[in-house]
Amino acid sequence: MVAKPLGFYQRLQQLPLPAQQAFMAALCERLLPNYALYQQTTGQGDGHTLRAVLNLVWERLSVPNASIDFARQAEKLAECEPPEDDESFGARRALDAVVSVSALLDTLQGESPEAVLDVSRTSRAGVRAFIELTEGEEDAEALALMIRDHPLMADENDFQDAVLEAVSEPINKASLKEVRQLGRNNGISNLGLTLDEDGE
């Protein structure tokens, strides 16, 4: 009897922790432009700190014994959250980025077995919400089909598959660099948005 191939989420959960962390970090990279756009349009938020925290995560992944106080970083991260009373679409997507980096930090501070699934689902959910927002409300069934077949959702699924493949190989400094590059996605976010900016 041929064993049924594992589903995407099963494969994610079976990865060793450093590979899961690299997967999450790549997805976080692709969420950052959404945060940067929110900050640019509203003047709220602190993308510099968010970027710095994620850079420290990459440092820890490539130098596992790097001494970094992730509890302190988590405190800094909490201050990056958009104001609670901002219900806008941009604020929710900015929050996705903060929450995802926060989930990643949790795994560096102790057990957080669901974190990798949470980050994967958060990224997909943001794409789904963007499609619902931009395509208008149809009946639920038509909307579900449209989301499934939408180029942005196809791109999101392909991206997560590509990152999963990349982190399924042995993780070393060179492969981490490639995974990070993949995550940066030429500065284009999971929503297909980009921020015109120089440097990081």
Side-chain angles (χ1 to χ4, degrees), residues 6-104:
L6 291 177
F8 180 85
Y9 289 122
Q10 286 171 300
R11 286 179 63 197
L12 260 188
Q13 283 196 292
Q14 289 194 355
L15 289 171
L17 184 59
Q20 290 187 3
Q21 289 166 334
F23 177 89
M24 288 188 273
L27 266 62
C28 289
E29 283 288 348
R30 211 165 83 119
L31 294 174
L32 284 196
N34 295 333
Y35 188 96
L37 278 165
Y38 169 74
Q39 184 176 345
Q40 191 182 51
T41 50
T42 64
Q44 302 274 8
D46 181 358
H48 183 73
T49 294
L50 190 59
R51 169 82 269 163
V53 173
L54 189 53
N55 286 347
L56 285 174
V57 171
W58 285 111
E59 186 184 327
R60 174 43 115 33
L61 291 179
S62 59
V63 186
N65 54 1
S67 170
I68 296 165
D69 181 353
F70 282 112
R72 175 77 193 97
Q73 298 308 319
E75 287 169 19
K76 286 187 191 174
L77 202 57
E79 292 164 16
C80 295
E81 291 187 11
E84 273 181 34
D85 57 358
D86 188 344
E87 291 289 311
S88 69
F89 181 82
R92 288 203 290 269
R93 299 295 73 82
L95 186 61
D96 285 349
V98 178
V99 166
S100 295
V101 177
S102 182
L104 175 49

Side-chain angles (χ1 to χ4, degrees), residues 102-123:
S102 182
L104 175 49
L105 283 189
D106 288 345
T107 68
L108 289 156
Q109 297 181 86
E111 286 294 305
S112 188
E114 293 293 308
V116 71
L117 302 183
D118 291 343
V119 172
S120 171
R121 288 175 181 144
T122 296
S123 185

Side-chain angles (χ1 to χ4, degrees), residues 156-177:
E156 174 69 13
N157 292 336
D158 289 347
F159 173 77
Q160 290 205 23
D161 287 343
V163 177
L164 176 58
E165 289 306 322
V167 300
S168 297
E169 302 295 320
I171 294 282
N172 54 40
K173 278 191 180 178
S175 66
L176 272 174
K177 211 169 174 180

Side-chain angles (χ1 to χ4, degrees), residues 128 131 142-154 157:
R128 193 176 302 119
I131 296 167
L143 185 63
L145 280 174
M146 185 167 61
I147 288 169
R148 194 193 70 190
D149 298 332
H150 197 282
L152 270 179
M153 189 53 89
N157 292 336

